[in-house]
Amino acid sequence: NAGVTQTPKFRILKIGQSMTLQCAQDMNHNYMYWYRQDPGMGLKLIYYSVGAGITDKGEVPNGYNVSRSTTEDFPLRLELAAPSQTSVYFCASRQEGNEQFFGPGTRLTVL
Amino acid sequence: EDQVTQSPEALRLQEGESSSLNCSYTVSGLRGLFWYRQDPGKGPEFLFTLYSAGEEKEKERLKATLTKKESFLHITAPKPEDSATYLCAVRRNTGFQKLVFGTGTRLLVSP
């Protein structure tokens, strides 16, 4: 199993551009999560999903959107990128009752 | 409001010098306290889950313990490869596993 994979690893965006961060897992996990990690701050939950077609907001959803059309994929969409969205983004997944498994992260810089 | 505080922020040890990391928490209805290890440029890697006061878990040189207010990660005779950031997170008693993370302790073990 590849586990949780994320693409791209790095990206630089200009203010106002849009992009999609990809996340996929091959463990058949129902639950998937998007976090952002800023220096000196804990991981903050952006959005989560409990299964295909079901998503909900986390602590810091503004400026982001998600979709979950399959069990495997959970892309995160940034519309109109802003410098405040410069961060490292982590995707995670889990099965019922178990711990979360994290991907390797996407480092995003908005200039 | 759920809160997780980790101390110290950073810790430097000599190889073989045992120590402990602290995670203090306030959460209504704890449904698990999680320890993760994060290496630079990588996603968090799961270490332990603790569910009730008095519970202990061990893995190699690491031992995690839990009380009603805090958790400790004891590191016995650490090696340089134990250098990493250690993250603590709590899950509250809700329908979905929303983790609240601390800001982590950066551990550096010198040879």
Side-chain angles (χ1 to χ4, degrees):
Chain A
N1 288 348
V4 180
T5 57
Q6 293 183 240
T7 57
K9 285 185 172 19
F10 304 94
R11 184 74 185 268
I12 297 176
L13 282 182
K14 293 183 179 179
I15 294 172
Q17 287 185 320
S18 300
M19 76 163 293
T20 299
L21 281 66
Q22 301 292 343
C23 173
Q25 52 91 10
D26 61 359
M27 298 173 283
N28 202 33
H29 288 173
N30 288 329
Y31 298 87
M32 295 189 74
Y33 306 81
W34 275 106
Y35 293 89
R36 60 177 289 170
Q37 186 176 41
D38 300 309
M41 307 286 287
L43 287 151
K44 300 293 185 187
L45 183 64
I46 305 171
Y47 270 96
Y48 66 97
S49 169
V50 301
I54 307 171
T55 63
D56 205 351
K57 297 178 180 178
E59 302 171 80
V60 290
N62 292 343
Y64 307 95
N65 275 301
V66 294
S67 59
R68 183 99 181 267
S69 56
T70 67
T71 299
E72 294 77 21
D73 300 298
F74 191 39
L76 178 71
R77 178 82 176 162
L78 278 70
E79 306 281 2
L80 299 175
S84 61
Q85 293 178 307
T86 293
S87 188
V88 182
Y89 292 85
F90 290 102
C91 179
S93 73
R94 75 171 179 100
Q95 196 49 284
E96 182 69 47
N98 292 334
E99 67 277 6
Q100 293 185 19
F101 292 89
F102 285 81
T106 293
R107 184 175 295 273
L108 175 67
T109 301
V110 182
L111 300 174
Chain B
E1 182 181 327
D2 301 340
Q3 201 162 8
V4 178
T5 303
Q6 292 189 247
S7 62
E9 286 186 15
L11 181 62
R12 174 170 283 190
L13 299 173
Q14 290 295 120
E15 185 172 2
E17 179 187 2
S18 302
S19 188
S20 297
L21 313 183
N22 178 262
C23 172
S24 298
Y25 65 90
T26 54
V27 62
S28 57
L30 181 71
R31 281 192 71 186
L33 185 140
F34 300 79
W35 281 99
Y36 284 84
R37 169 191 171 125
Q38 186 174 24
D39 292 301
K42 297 194 175 181
E45 177 187 344
F46 172 74
L47 292 173
F48 304 110
T49 309
L50 301 167
Y51 291 102
S52 56
E55 189 175 358
E56 299 182 351
K57 288 193 177 173
E58 288 188 66
K59 179 180 179 179
E60 297 181 357
R61 295 176 293 283
L62 301 177
K63 178 180 176 180
T65 62
L66 181 65
T67 72
K68 288 186 177 179
K69 294 183 179 179
E70 57 192 350
S71 177
F72 291 94
L73 186 64
H74 306 279
I75 304 177
T76 303
K79 298 182 177 182
E81 53 262 42
D82 295 322
S83 298
T85 295
Y86 291 86
L87 303 173
C88 171
V90 296
R91 176 168 64 124
R92 63 148 66 169
N93 189 13
T94 60
F96 307 121
Q97 189 187 30
K98 297 183 187 181
L99 294 182
V100 176
F101 281 86
T103 54
T105 293
R106 294 190 312 278
L107 175 65
L108 177 63
V109 182
S110 304

